[in-house]
Amino acid sequence: MIGHKNGQADAKGGLMEEIQSLKREDEMLYNILAVDVWALAKTMDEFQPGFWAAFMKNREKALKHFLAEMIKNKPADTKRPPFLR
C-alpha cells in the first residue's frame, strides 16, 4: 500500500516535471520567434526605409477590422445586462 502511494507521487512528480519542461520549451520558442521577427523587420527596414512603421500601421488597421467583425458577429445574450453585452 505504501509503495502504491509512493508510485503515485513519483508519477505526479514526473508529470509536473514534464509540464515545466513544456512551459520552458514554449517560452524558448516564443523568444526565438520574437528574434526572428525582429531580424526580418530590421533587414526589411534597411532595404526599404519605413517598412516597420508601415507594417505596424497595417497591423493596427487589421486588428481594428478584426475586432469590429468580432463585435458585429457576436451573438446577443439577452440574459446579460446591456452594459456587459
Side-chain angles (χ1 to χ4, degrees):
M1 198 69 132
I2 292 173
H4 180 66
K5 286 184 180 180
N6 192 18
Q8 286 178 344
D10 288 344
K12 185 177 180 181
L15 182 60
M16 293 306 291
E17 287 178 24
E18 284 293 320
I19 291 172
Q20 290 302 320
S21 174
L22 288 172
K23 284 181 180 180
R24 283 191 304 272
E25 290 173 12
D26 182 59
E27 184 177 348
M28 186 183 307
L29 178 62
Y30 180 81
N31 290 337
I32 289 170
L33 289 173
V35 169
D36 285 347
V37 168
W38 175 83
L40 178 62
K42 180 77 172 155
T43 303
M44 287 302 297
D45 235 10
E46 289 175 7
F47 289 113
Q48 183 180 350
F51 170 83
W52 187 248
F55 174 81
M56 292 306 287
K57 283 181 186 176
N58 288 338
R59 184 176 180 270
E60 184 179 3
K61 285 181 187 177
L63 178 62
K64 286 180 180 178
H65 178 72
F66 172 76
L67 291 176
E69 286 293 317
M70 290 298 290
I71 290 170
K72 184 176 80 173
N73 295 332
K74 184 177 179 182
D77 187 2
T78 55
K79 294 178 185 177
R80 297 181 76 179
F83 59 88
L84 291 177
R85 289 184 202 160

